[in-house]
């Protein structure tokens, strides 16, 4: 059985996880593209596959500006929020705000990540994202649900600027093994239990993490250094969404 | 030449103010910057030295009176470049910045979650570091506890604490700072948001 008892942060990151690597790959292709290529990248997939979490690594590595489009936003609210992310007081008109956004993206060379892009498409201002793209040499990652690529087809001028479509994948056993390395530094979680956790977590890397932490806690409190499927009998696994609360 | 703690400096007395003036003027002398900000000449000279070494600002020409005129060579945007005197980049705040960015995405997390998810190949965050930052952000009201930590016993399993980011408390992109005097300063709002008291166990 493979187990890593060393301190978890010795060069270990989430980068090898399938979706993190896919997302980072898309972002890097856009950042290093040649002059004549467009710089929009789409990351799509069913909810629960951890698209937003997968984009964290790329966001931190390239210090991306990141916004999560709310259902109620319009074009102005979107631009204001991008500017808030940049720490820039927004100008009073839409076109002046667009200039501010493009100016900062160009100067800083940092990419933009737009999460919940479906809300922008539904509200009909996705062309604003294209405006930003056309106004500077930046890379923009748009994250959305499974049908986002299909929805974007209707917006020809946006669709034509998409460099890459990245499809999020369910967390598989190799993802679970990597997460075990990252999370289980006190207790050896056995392969049979890991497989069970991976299945119960329904493709979500986040749920695998929560379950690994629970199993480790349980083992520690029982004074065990190794934890197997039979040991975990009767313990409940987390299979649903984390508690959603609104502030 | 010790700098005052950030909360004791006026907004015009910071490197951010010098940088804003540089971007406004584009071509300038150290005296120009002194006139535009409340920074001491030493502070301005030191920052200019770093910016020049980093190639962000460059020598332009001398005035008849012998003063050096600089110009902005590489504008990186609104964020003031963090450089040492030799021009190298200061990356010490990157861990906090990553954590601040990451907790808003995760929404609900443990200390280990935060450390694991916020680390990259060049910015490694230890779990203890995440724990300490979480401790102060919770004190300052940015985080709420969703699951209380509980030490394990022979009969019941222990639990790690989990936290939730309070979305309405998001003040801006700059990570709140834990100052040496055990208080939390929010650079977005430019104010101290929490002062340590006797209840602070850490």
């Amino acid at each position: 059985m493979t187990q890593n008892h060393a301190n978890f942060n010795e060069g270990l990151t989430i980068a090898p996880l399938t979706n993190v690597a896919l997302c980072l790959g898309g972002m890097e292709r856009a950042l290093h593209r040649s002059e004549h290529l467009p710089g929009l990248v789409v990351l799509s997939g069913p909810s629960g596959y951890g698209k937003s979490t997968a984009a964290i690594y790329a966001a931190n590595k390239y210090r991306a500006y990141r916004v999560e489009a709310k259902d109620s936003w319009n074009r102005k609210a979107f631009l204001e929020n991008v500017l808030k992310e940049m720490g820039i007081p927004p100008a009073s008109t839409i076109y002046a705000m667009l200039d501010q956004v493009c100016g900062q993206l160009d100067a800083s060379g940092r990419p933009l990540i737009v999460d919940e892009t479906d809300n922008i498409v539904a509200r009909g201002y996705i062309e604003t994202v294209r405006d930003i793209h056309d106004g500077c040499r930046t890379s923009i990652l748009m994250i959305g649900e499974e049908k986002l690529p299909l929805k974007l087809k209707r917006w020809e001028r946006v669709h034509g600027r998409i460099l890459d479509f990245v499809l999020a994948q369910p967390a598989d056993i190799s993802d679970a093994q990597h997460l075990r390395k990252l999370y289980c530094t006190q207790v050896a979680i056995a392969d049979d239990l890991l497989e069970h956790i991976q299945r119960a977590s329904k493709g979500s890397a986040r749920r695998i993490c929560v379950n690994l932490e629970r199993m480790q806690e349980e083992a520690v409190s029982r004074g065990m250094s190794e934890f197997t499927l039979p040991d975990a009998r009767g313990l409940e696994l987390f299979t649903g969404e984390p508690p959603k609360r609104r502030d | 030449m010790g700098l005052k703690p950030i909360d004791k400096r006026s907004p015009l007395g910071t490197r951010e103010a010098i940088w804003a003036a540089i971007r406004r003027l584009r071509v300038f002398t150290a005296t120009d910057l002194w006139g535009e900000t409340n920074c001491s000449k030493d502070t301005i000279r030191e920052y200019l030295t770093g910016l020049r070494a980093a190639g962000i600002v460059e020598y332009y020409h001398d005035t008849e009176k012998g003063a050096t005129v600089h110009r902005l060579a590489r504008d990186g945007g609104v964020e003031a470049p963090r450089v040492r005197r030799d021009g190298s980049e200061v990356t010490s705040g990157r861990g906090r910045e990553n954590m601040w960015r990451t907790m808003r995405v995760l929404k609900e997390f443990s200390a280990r979650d935060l450390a694991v998810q916020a680390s990259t190949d060049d910015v490694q965050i230890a779990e203890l570091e995440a724990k300490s930052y979480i401790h102060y952000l919770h004190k300052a009201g940015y985080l709420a506890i969703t699951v209380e930590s509980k030490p394990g016993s022979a009969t019941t399993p222990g639990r790690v604490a989990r936290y939730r980011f309070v979305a309405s408390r998001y003040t801006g992109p700059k990570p709140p700072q834990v100052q040496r005097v055990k208080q939390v300063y929010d650079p977005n709002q430019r104010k101290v948001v929490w002062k340590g008291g006797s209840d602070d166990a850490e």
Side-chain angles (χ1 to χ4, degrees):
Chain A
M1 203 184 72
T2 57
Q3 229 347 291
N4 188 339
H5 281 273
N7 193 343
F8 80 96
N9 67 344
E10 280 172 18
L12 282 175
T13 69
I14 56 171
L17 297 175
T18 310
N19 286 335
V20 175
L22 284 171
C23 183
L24 187 66
M27 178 73 93
E28 289 184 337
R29 274 192 295 284
L31 285 168
H32 306 310
R33 71 191 187 273
S34 50
E35 203 68 30
H36 64 284
L37 290 173
L40 295 180
V41 174
V42 173
L43 169 66
S44 61
S47 75
Y49 277 15
K51 299 180 293 290
S52 307
T53 318
I56 289 177
Y57 191 87
N60 283 331
K61 182 149 176 67
Y62 293 103
R63 305 186 66 212
Y65 297 111
R66 181 187 166 278
V67 290
E68 210 175 294
K70 299 275 175 284
D71 177 46
S72 61
W73 285 7
N74 57 13
R75 197 153 59 125
K76 183 162 173 268
F78 169 70
L79 289 169
E80 280 172 352
N81 276 280
V82 174
L83 286 166
K84 183 177 184 187
E85 265 323 289
M86 297 172 163
I88 300 174
S92 52
T93 63
I94 301 269
Y95 73 84
M97 285 196 273
L98 193 62
D99 271 358
Q100 289 179 300
V101 168
C102 292
Q104 176 62 17
L105 288 173
D106 244 349
S108 66
R110 286 158 65 172
L112 176 66
I113 296 180
V114 182
D115 206 344
E116 307 284 359
T117 310
D118 299 81
N119 285 331
I120 296 180
V121 179
R123 282 282 187 143
Y125 61 92
I126 191 71
E127 294 269 6
T128 305
V129 178
R130 181 191 57 83
D131 279 339
I132 296 174
H133 170 268
D134 292 0
C136 56
R137 283 285 309 161
T138 197
S139 308
I140 304 177
L141 175 70
M142 299 188 284
I143 305 176
E145 300 287 305
E146 270 176 296
K147 285 186 182 150
L148 181 62
L150 200 68
K151 290 182 201 164
L152 288 173
K153 260 194 168 156
R154 284 185 45 229
W155 304 86
E156 209 178 294
R157 293 197 296 173
V158 179
H159 200 259
R161 285 165 173 80
I162 296 171
L163 177 73
D164 210 350
F165 288 94
V166 179
L167 301 178
Q169 305 296 318
D172 61 15
I173 192 69
S174 68
D175 290 330
Q177 283 161 352
H178 187 69
L179 289 169
R180 175 172 65 184
K181 260 190 245 168
L182 291 173
Y183 279 84
C184 304
T185 51
Q186 296 154 283
V187 176
I189 301 290
D191 287 344
D192 56 354
L193 179 55
L194 189 71
E195 276 163 39
H196 177 63
I197 288 174
Q198 186 256 332
R199 277 195 304 274
S201 302
K202 296 175 189 146
S204 159
R206 287 282 289 144
R207 283 176 219 155
I208 293 177
C209 301
V210 173
N211 286 323
L212 284 174
E213 279 205 296
R214 282 193 185 172
M215 293 303 119
Q216 177 161 271
E217 281 297 316
E218 178 73 27
V220 166
S221 63
R222 290 193 205 166
M224 299 164 79
S225 60
E226 206 184 316
F227 211 58
T228 64
L229 187 55
D231 296 327
R233 190 152 294 147
L235 294 177
E236 214 176 304
L237 285 181
F238 174 58
T239 56
E241 291 294 311
K244 277 215 172 88
R245 284 207 230 161
R246 291 283 164 245
D247 304 305
Chain B
M1 184 200 59
L3 277 176
K4 282 186 190 171
I6 183 83
D7 61 298
K8 300 281 194 295
R9 273 176 265 160
S10 84
L12 279 176
T14 59
R15 284 191 162 193
E16 279 69 27
I18 303 176
W19 178 245
I22 290 175
R23 293 189 82 217
R24 234 174 8 249
L25 300 171
R26 302 269 150 179
V27 172
F28 54 87
T29 64
T31 311
D32 292 338
L33 299 179
W34 183 71
E36 294 277 322
T37 65
N38 285 342
C39 294
S40 71
K41 288 201 168 160
D42 279 343
T43 305
I44 291 169
R45 236 176 262 128
E46 168 144 328
Y47 194 31
L48 273 181
T49 305
L51 290 173
R52 266 180 76 161
I56 296 167
V57 153
E58 62 188 17
Y59 169 82
Y60 195 25
H61 60 82
D62 286 342
T63 61
E64 301 96 75
K65 286 176 185 163
T68 306
V69 179
H70 292 92
R71 74 170 158 196
L72 180 56
R74 193 154 47 81
D75 182 4
V78 287
E79 204 188 351
R82 303 184 59 212
V83 289
R84 295 188 195 89
R85 279 183 66 91
D86 65 358
S88 58
E89 195 190 346
V90 180
T91 54
S92 61
R94 285 292 303 280
R96 293 270 159 99
E97 184 189 307
N98 283 8
M99 285 194 272
W100 182 239
R101 189 182 288 119
T102 300
M103 52 181 98
R104 291 180 60 220
V105 184
L106 293 178
K107 295 188 173 74
E108 209 253 351
F109 52 87
S110 66
R112 172 148 301 203
D113 276 333
L114 188 59
V116 164
Q117 307 281 349
S119 289
T120 62
D121 50 358
D122 37 32
V123 181
Q124 295 284 321
I125 297 155
E127 189 175 350
L128 272 178
E129 211 180 322
K131 229 175 213 163
S132 153
Y133 197 40
I134 285 173
H135 170 82
Y136 286 106
L137 291 189
H138 173 245
K139 290 273 182 201
Y142 297 98
L143 303 177
I145 291 182
T146 57
V147 177
E148 295 268 6
S149 71
K150 204 172 69 177
S153 72
T155 47
T156 50
R159 260 188 335 219
V160 290
R162 299 189 68 84
Y163 301 83
R164 174 176 61 92
F165 190 82
V166 181
S168 58
R169 279 300 307 275
Y170 178 66
T171 49
K174 295 177 192 158
Q177 301 167 7
V178 180
Q179 294 179 289
R180 212 167 300 171
V181 288
K182 300 292 177 219
Q183 59 182 21
V184 179
Y185 174 83
D186 189 326
N188 302 295
Q189 298 181 315
R190 292 208 189 95
K191 67 177 192 196
V192 174
V193 288
W194 179 79
K195 275 187 192 332
S198 50
D199 63 323
D200 185 22
E202 220 191 53

